[in-house]
Amino acid sequence: MKMPFSKGQKLTGEIIPPPDKSITHRALMVGAISRKGVRIKNPLISGDTLSTVDCLRKLGKSLTMNPKEIIIKPGQLKEPRDILYCGNSGTTARLLSGILSGQKFFSVIDGDDSLKRRPMKRVVEPLRRMGAIIFGRENDSLLPISIKGNELHGHEFELTVPSAQVKSAVILAALLAEGKTTIKEKIKSRDHLERMLEWFGVNLEVQGNIITVDGSSQIEGGEITVPGDISSAAFLIGAAVLVPGSHIVVREVGYNPTRTGFIRVLQRMGAKISVLKMKEQAKEEVADLEIKSSSLKATEVTKEEIPSLIDEIPLIALLATQAEGVTRITGASELRHKESDRIKAMCENLKKMGAKIEELRDGIIIEGPTLLRGNQVSSFGDHRIAMTFAVASLITRGETWIEGFDSVQISYPEFIRDLSTLCHD
Ligand code: S3P
């Protein structure tokens, strides 16, 4: 698809970004195992969250859905007749594995070509230690996987992969297990599930990077409102920083510190981003942000910061092409296991546009500033790569074409509409 934006258009005005994907997935999953059910206000309705909805329906859950809310009714999960197809959604496959490990029935989880390539051993392994009976392709490391529900028991974990998906799968299994489970993370990943469980009345113990879950805890359920997704807003924020003369306000965006690494890195690079207002909503910080175009300087992004900005690294790489100096992003080998190999995708596409970029095993080195040229690039079937290059098209000389742009449906179906609303000649 040819990008409808051109160099010279600037971003002005106000916008509310789409609802948070991670929180919507978790509210659906938690709702499915809650006693009274859950009403999710302002849910994200997109390719990925619809994969979760579809799986829950196959598991016998009764759900009503409209653009403003999803209601998950109370009731037991039942053995699905069909394969639980998670589409492109890693969060659905991983979190569901945790829940299904502790059910009294058999189920099979599968996904699309991209998800079939993504590692599952990282959840299979810890869940097995809790007593789960799981098998999968390639020595139990890839989808499809089959799960024969079993009695689970608590365990003490030190997670080796810094992944909120793994942590959340283990927490969900721990809620169905006998006894206590302790989970220690080396670097704290997004903690939406922990906060949500507290909101719904579960007595979870969180001390720094250590979480203790008591298997006898009940999830009551209730109502939850989802804030805006900082990972989706990031594309609008990044665009406003990059395009000279821009000045926007992003309202009602989730500002949980385990998700705001992107903002901290941008501020370090010299971006003019300020918090206008901050509130608490369902145990999550929610902010209004003001962003002005800014000249940028290079920075170093290291391992400790990666979980807090994991989905924004492609965008940081693009921003670095316009920053003065050499930006180094390291300790980010997890990027090779996302919807695409994002290190390879960024290096290939940015090189085509004329950037000075070097591919590392676990990251990227970018030298800036360089003038980018429009070209034909690929999304690699990955929503975040597609949106990163739509942002690039605002600063390139010449046209930008993105193959597989439809992938934006996964997290931000209205992306082109929203960016167009902000863009003015
Ligand atoms: C997510 C966690 C991250 C992130 C993904 C969503 C989540 O993955 O990349 O888009 O909702 O838990 P990892 O935790 O596996 O790094």
Side-chain angles (χ1 to χ4, degrees), residues 21-22 26 91 122 162-165 190 310-311 338 384:
K21 180 157 82 70
S22 290
R26 284 162 172 77
T91 309
R122 54 182 60 195
S163 162
Q165 294 182 354
R190 63 190 69 186
I310 183 75
D311 293 332
K338 294 294 172 189
R384 304 218 192 264

Side-chain angles (χ1 to χ4, degrees), residues 178 238 327 387 417:
E178 178 82 37
T327 294
M387 289 187 274
R417 185 204 63 188

Side-chain angles (χ1 to χ4, degrees), residues 156-163 167 170-171 181-191 194 204-213 257-258 303-305 307:
E156 264 187 41
F157 291 105
E158 186 153 343
L159 296 183
T160 46
V161 189
S163 162
K167 173 177 66 174
V170 171
I171 294 176
T181 298
T182 309
I183 305 158
K184 191 172 173 192
E185 292 186 283
K186 283 204 186 95
I187 310 169
K188 195 175 171 94
S189 62
R190 63 190 69 186
D191 62 355
E194 297 88 306
L204 204 77
E205 209 182 290
V206 181
Q207 271 179 338
N209 291 8
I210 304 174
I211 305 151
T212 308
V213 186
T258 61
K303 197 173 171 181
E304 296 68 39
E305 284 180 302

Side-chain angles (χ1 to χ4, degrees), residues 301-407:
V301 181
T302 53
K303 197 173 171 181
E304 296 68 39
E305 284 180 302
I306 301 296
S308 69
L309 46 74
I310 183 75
D311 293 332
E312 291 70 69
I313 298 174
L315 195 55
I316 294 176
L318 170 68
L319 285 149
T321 68
Q322 304 308 302
E324 186 79 44
V326 177
T327 294
R328 289 175 63 90
I329 303 168
T330 54
S333 52
E334 270 298 300
L335 279 194
R336 297 209 182 265
H337 308 296
K338 294 294 172 189
E339 288 82 330
S340 70
D341 175 343
R342 288 183 178 159
I343 294 182
K344 184 169 156 276
M346 285 311 295
C347 289
E348 266 188 49
N349 283 352
L350 281 178
K351 258 186 204 152
K352 276 192 175 174
M353 290 186 155
K356 289 187 196 147
I357 183 161
E358 187 189 326
E359 180 172 345
L360 304 176
R361 186 189 47 81
D362 68 339
I364 313 178
I365 300 178
I366 309 114
E367 192 183 334
T370 40
L371 187 68
L372 299 182
R373 296 183 302 269
N375 204 331
Q376 179 134 11
V377 295
S378 175
S379 68
F380 293 83
D382 183 333
H383 53 133
R384 304 218 192 264
I385 300 295
M387 289 187 274
T388 300
F389 285 90
V391 173
S393 78
L394 286 161
I395 55 162
T396 52
R397 204 177 51 201
E399 289 173 356
T400 297
W401 292 73
I402 303 175
E403 191 197 315
F405 192 75
D406 261 11
S407 53

Side-chain angles (χ1 to χ4, degrees), residues 26-27 29-38 99 171-172 175-176 193 196-203 214-222:
R26 284 162 172 77
M29 303 269 180
V30 167
I33 54 170
S34 66
R35 218 170 56 82
K36 292 191 306 208
V38 163
I99 293 180
I171 294 176
L172 289 168
L175 287 165
L176 306 167
L193 181 59
M196 188 180 294
L197 288 171
E198 280 178 28
W199 173 249
F200 284 138
V202 175
N203 215 350
D214 194 331
S216 62
S217 321
Q218 274 275 349
I219 308 171
E220 285 304 313

